Amino acid sequence: MNLVLAQLNPSAGDIEQNKNKIIEVLKGSKSNELTIFPELFIYGYHNFDMLKKFPFIFSQIENALEEIKSLNKPVLVGYPELIDNEIKSSFALIDNEIKKVKTFSFNNKNYEILSIEEVKNPDFKTNADILICPILSISKTNKEYFRNNLFKNLAIKQNKKVIFLNQIGAIDEFIYDGASRLYDEKGEIIALAKSFEEDILNLANPKIEKYPSDFNLTTNLDSFSLNYENDLERTYKALILSIKDYFSKNGFTQAVLGLSGGLDSTICAVLLADALGAKNVLGVSMPSKLTSNESKFDGKTLADNLSINYIEAPIKAYHDAFSNGFDKIFTETSKYWCNRYTSSFTQDNIQARSRAIILWGIANEYGSTLSIATSDKSETYMGYATINGDMSGGFAPILDVTKTKLFALARWMNKNRPIKNAIPENIILKPPGAELALDPNTGKTLKAEDALMPYEFMDEVIWVIENTNQSIDNMMQKEFLYEKKNILNIETKKLWLEKFFKRMNSAIYKWYISAPSPIVDSNSINKAIYNQPIVSKINYLK
C-alpha cells in the first residue's frame, strides 16, 4: 500500500501553519504514494464557530489548497466547506488538480472515506477495496477500548482493510491522542502509530510502535472501581500534552502555582515540571496562621525533589488588611441589610483570595507566565472551592480528575517518572484539607472529608451519575463499593447522598466560572461538552 498517514498536531484556525505542516511532509514524499491528513486538518478544529464569525477563513483555505497543489504530490486532506449555507466536513484529493472526493481510486485500488456515523453502522454497501476513517477522536477513559472495537468490527463486517487516522494535540479542553492504525480484513491491527506524539506512518512498511496503555478495558463498565492502573499512563500523557499545547499555542512559557503541601497542588506541580521543564515552574508556599509546619515541609520537599523554583510568601499581612477593611465595610452595610450569616466563610475566603492575588501578581510581573488553578473534579462537583481563590487561574489541569484517581496517579508517577518518588509519601498518606478553618469538634484544621464525605463514596456517586444516570432512589438500592469495605448505615448513606446532590446543585455556577481544563474522564461536567443551566431546579430527591 503506497499510503502515508500523517498524524500531526494542527493549530485551530491557523491556516498558514497547518498548510506549512502539510507542505513539509509532502516535500519528503514520493510521487507514487498518497499522503493522507486527518479530518479538517487544514482548519485544525472540529467546531465551526470561528468560520461562522470570520468567513474570510474560507478564502485562506482555498489559497492554501492551491499552494499545496503546486507541489504536484498526491495528498488527501480534510477541510471545511460551505455548502448551501451549511458548513460541512469535506476531503480534497490533490495532485495536479483539487478534487472534492468521497470515493476515489489510487494505484488501482478503490477507496471510500467514511464518517463516524457510517463507522457506527457498518452494514452498508461499498465497492471500495479499502475504507478510510480520518476521524477526529479525543482521548477519554475507556475510549481506546470502544474505538478499537468499533473499527475492528467494521473491518470484519466489510471484510476489508480499514484505516483510522487521528490527529494529535490539545485544543483547550479537547485532547487528541493519535494512535492512527491499519486493520486487516480480520480486524487485526497491522500498523499502529504512536500515541500522544506526532508520527508519520508509512503503510508500505507496516509497523506497530506500541499498543496504547489503555488498549484493554480500563474499568468494569457496570460498576465503579478504584483500580485505575490501566488508565494512569494515558491520563498522565493526556494531561502533559494538554499543558504543553495550551502554553505553547497561547504564547506562555512559565507557570506559577500555590504549593500547599496537599495532593492537588502536588500533582499539578509534577505535571507542569514534566510538561514545561522544572526551571519554568514556580511553586509558592503561602502559609497562614493555620498552616501546619508539616504542610510547609512537604511543599518545600516536593519543590526540591522536582528542582522547580520555590519561594515562601506568608499571607498574614494581606489577611489582616482585608479583615480590618471588611470590619469597617460590614459596619456600614449592616445599616441596610440585617440577614448576615451566623457562620460565614468570609475569613476562609479571604485566605484563599489573598493567595490568588499573590499568584496573579507574580504572573503579571513576569512575561509569558500563567497562574494555575489546582481544583480537582471531586471537589468541583461539590463546590468545595473558592471563586477567585483556589479556583482562580488561567488553566486548571486536573479539573476532570477525581480525588481517588489522583491518589493513584501520584503513586504511578512516583514509580514511572525518571526521578522516582519525587512526591513525598506523607502527601499521599495524609487526609486532604485546605487548612482554612478549625473543626469546632476537634480544634484542629478541618479535613475535606469531614466537611463533605469520604472521597471513595463521593467519587462513586460521580461515576454513577455520569455513567448510569441513576437517581438517589436508585443509589439507595445499590451497594456502593464503600459499603463493601466499611460499615455504613442507611441513614448516613441517605444523608450523604442528599448532601451530595444539594451541594452539586448549588455548585453549578462555579462550574461555569472554572478555568479552561482538559477533558480526560469518560464523562465530564466540563462546559465544553455539558451544559446545565445555573438556574435549573431539578428535584433530585424524587
Side-chain angles (χ1 to χ4, degrees):
M1 296 175 69
N2 287 349
L3 301 179
V4 175
L5 306 185
Q7 175 184 288
L8 301 180
N9 186 348
S11 183
D14 192 340
I15 311 304
E16 182 74 10
Q17 179 178 309
N18 298 338
K19 174 207 69 180
N20 289 339
K21 279 181 172 282
I22 294 172
I23 289 174
E24 190 64 30
V25 173
L26 292 180
K27 284 179 179 177
S29 69
K30 299 175 182 177
S31 58
N32 67 337
E33 62 187 16
L34 175 66
T35 305
I36 306 175
F37 289 84
E39 179 182 17
L40 299 169
F41 183 84
I42 202 160
Y43 173 58
Y45 193 39
H46 66 263
N47 183 292
F48 296 143
D49 287 350
M50 289 187 295
L51 286 165
K52 294 172 184 175
K53 194 163 190 174
F54 305 110
F56 62 78
I57 296 175
F58 285 111
S59 297
Q60 295 179 350
I61 292 170
E62 290 174 10
N63 293 337
L65 294 177
E66 287 291 338
E67 191 172 341
I68 292 167
K69 185 185 76 170
S70 68
L71 274 70
N72 291 318
K73 295 283 186 74
V75 58
L76 181 72
V77 60
Y79 69 102
E81 184 182 24
L82 188 62
I83 305 173
D84 297 329
N85 291 321
E86 280 193 57
I87 303 173
K88 301 289 181 74
S89 175
S90 299
F91 286 87
L93 182 64
I94 306 174
D95 197 345
N96 54 6
E97 63 176 327
I98 301 171
K99 186 164 55 177
K100 176 186 171 182
V101 294
K102 173 78 164 66
T103 62
F104 64 94
S105 297
F106 183 78
N107 283 357
N108 300 316
K109 292 286 187 181
N110 296 320
Y111 296 87
E112 182 168 357
I113 302 167
L114 302 185
S115 66
I116 187 62
E117 289 76 18
E118 291 169 313
V119 173
K120 290 178 178 178
N121 300 282
D123 295 318
F124 54 84
K125 300 293 183 183
T126 178
N127 294 319
D129 301 304
I130 299 171
L131 304 175
I132 304 177
C133 312
I135 298 165
L136 301 185
S137 183
I138 66 174
S139 180
K140 290 184 176 184
T141 300
N142 292 330
K143 183 67 172 285
E144 183 57 77
Y145 172 79
F146 289 113
R147 188 162 57 193
N148 180 52
N149 283 350
L150 194 66
F151 294 114
K152 179 178 182 178
N153 182 53
L154 173 63
I156 293 171
K157 284 260 188 177
Q158 290 287 343
N159 192 31
K160 299 180 189 299
K161 287 186 173 66
V162 170
I163 293 169
F164 163 59
L165 174 58
N166 195 14
Q167 71 182 32
I168 74 110
I171 300 174
D172 295 349
E173 295 90 353
F174 301 102
I175 307 166
Y176 302 94
D177 58 351
S180 303
R181 68 202 60 174
L182 170 66
Y183 291 85
D184 66 14
E185 294 84 350
K186 296 180 181 179
E188 298 296 323
I189 295 176
I190 55 177
L192 178 63
K194 297 175 183 177
S195 298
F196 300 104
E197 294 182 48
E198 289 191 326
D199 199 8
I200 304 296
L201 189 61
N202 193 327
L203 299 185
N205 300 295
K207 65 172 183 175
I208 296 179
E209 188 68 37
K210 178 187 175 185
Y211 284 107
S213 59
D214 60 329
F215 191 79
N216 296 315
L217 187 63
T218 58
T219 58
N220 186 334
L221 294 177
D222 299 321
S223 62
F224 174 73
S225 172
L226 292 172
N227 182 11
Y228 299 109
E229 192 61 33
N230 287 343
D231 199 38
L232 296 177
E233 181 182 357
R234 180 204 66 88
T235 301
Y236 171 78
K237 288 183 174 180
L239 294 174
I240 292 293
L241 181 58
S242 72
I243 294 169
K244 283 183 176 179
D245 272 16
Y246 192 82
F247 273 69
S248 64
K249 291 177 180 179
N250 284 306
F252 294 108
T253 57
Q254 300 172 157
V256 58
L257 78 162
L259 275 191
S260 66
L263 182 70
D264 292 352
S265 63
T266 292
I267 296 288
C268 288
V270 176
L271 293 170
L272 290 163
D274 290 353
L276 306 176
K279 67 178 182 180
N280 293 314
V281 181
L282 172 63
V284 185
S285 171
M286 295 171 283
S288 72
K289 63 181 181 181
L290 297 179
T291 304
S292 66
N293 289 329
E294 177 187 49
S295 293
K296 289 190 284 186
F297 178 80
D298 289 341
K300 179 66 167 63
T301 302
L302 173 73
D304 290 342
N305 292 348
L306 294 175
S307 298
I308 64 173
N309 304 304
Y310 175 87
I311 63 169
E312 186 174 301
I315 63 169
K316 183 180 186 303
Y318 302 88
H319 179 270
D320 291 348
F322 281 121
S323 293
N324 293 334
F326 275 129
D327 285 344
K328 297 174 184 177
I329 290 170
F330 295 153
T331 299
E332 291 296 312
T333 54
S334 292
K335 298 175 184 176
Y336 309 106
W337 292 342
C338 301
N339 56 336
R340 290 181 69 177
Y341 288 114
T342 54
S343 178
S344 80
F345 295 103
T346 304
Q347 292 300 317
D348 300 14
N349 290 340
I350 286 174
Q351 297 171 68
R353 288 171 180 147
S354 296
R355 290 170 174 139
I357 289 172
I358 292 171
L359 295 176
W360 275 117
I362 293 170
N364 292 158
E365 188 69 15
Y366 297 94
S368 306
T369 301
L370 190 65
S371 177
I372 298 300
T374 59
S375 301
D376 65 56
K377 183 172 185 172
S378 305
E379 293 168 5
T380 299
Y381 247 98
M382 301 287 281
Y384 191 69
T386 303
I387 294 173
N388 298 326
D390 54 327
M391 288 181 65
S392 182
F395 193 60
I398 61 171
L399 199 65
D400 197 34
V401 188
T402 58
K403 186 74 89 175
T404 54
K405 190 172 187 178
L406 287 173
F407 278 112
L409 183 60
R411 294 204 175 279
W412 183 90
M413 290 193 297
N414 267 355
K415 291 179 183 177
N416 292 279
R417 291 180 69 255
I419 301 176
K420 310 297 183 190
N421 299 314
I423 300 174
E425 184 71 7
N426 189 52
I427 291 178
I428 301 174
L429 293 176
K430 68 182 175 185
E435 294 186 319
L436 295 176
L438 296 176
D439 186 333
N441 297 317
T442 64
K444 298 179 180 179
T445 52
L446 189 67
K447 303 302 180 187
E449 287 188 319
D450 295 334
L452 303 171
M453 63 195 68
Y455 283 109
E456 185 178 322
F457 185 89
M458 193 189 320
D459 288 355
E460 184 163 3
V461 177
I462 293 170
W463 186 92
V464 171
I465 291 172
E466 293 191 340
N467 292 279
T468 68
N469 313 116
Q470 293 183 15
S471 67
I472 285 183
D473 287 343
N474 298 136
M475 293 185 204
M476 285 299 297
Q477 301 303 314
K478 78 181 280 334
E479 184 181 30
F480 276 61
L481 181 63
Y482 181 87
E483 292 179 89
K484 296 177 181 179
K485 301 177 180 179
N486 304 273
I487 297 173
L488 179 62
N489 61 52
I490 197 74
E491 291 81 11
T492 301
K493 182 178 181 179
K494 187 172 187 293
L495 182 68
W496 283 353
L497 286 172
E498 290 177 350
K499 183 178 186 178
F500 182 97
F501 279 90
K502 182 178 179 181
R503 290 196 64 130
M504 182 188 76
N505 199 54
S506 64
I508 296 171
Y509 78 104
K510 292 187 177 183
W511 303 352
Y512 279 76
I513 296 171
S514 298
S517 59
I519 297 168
V520 292
D521 213 345
S522 55
N523 287 294
S524 178
I525 52 173
N526 190 304
K527 52 185 173 288
I529 59 172
Y530 179 74
N531 186 345
Q532 180 173 335
I534 297 171
V535 297
S536 60
K537 290 292 179 286
I538 301 172
N539 190 344
Y540 300 104
L541 304 182
K542 291 293 184 182

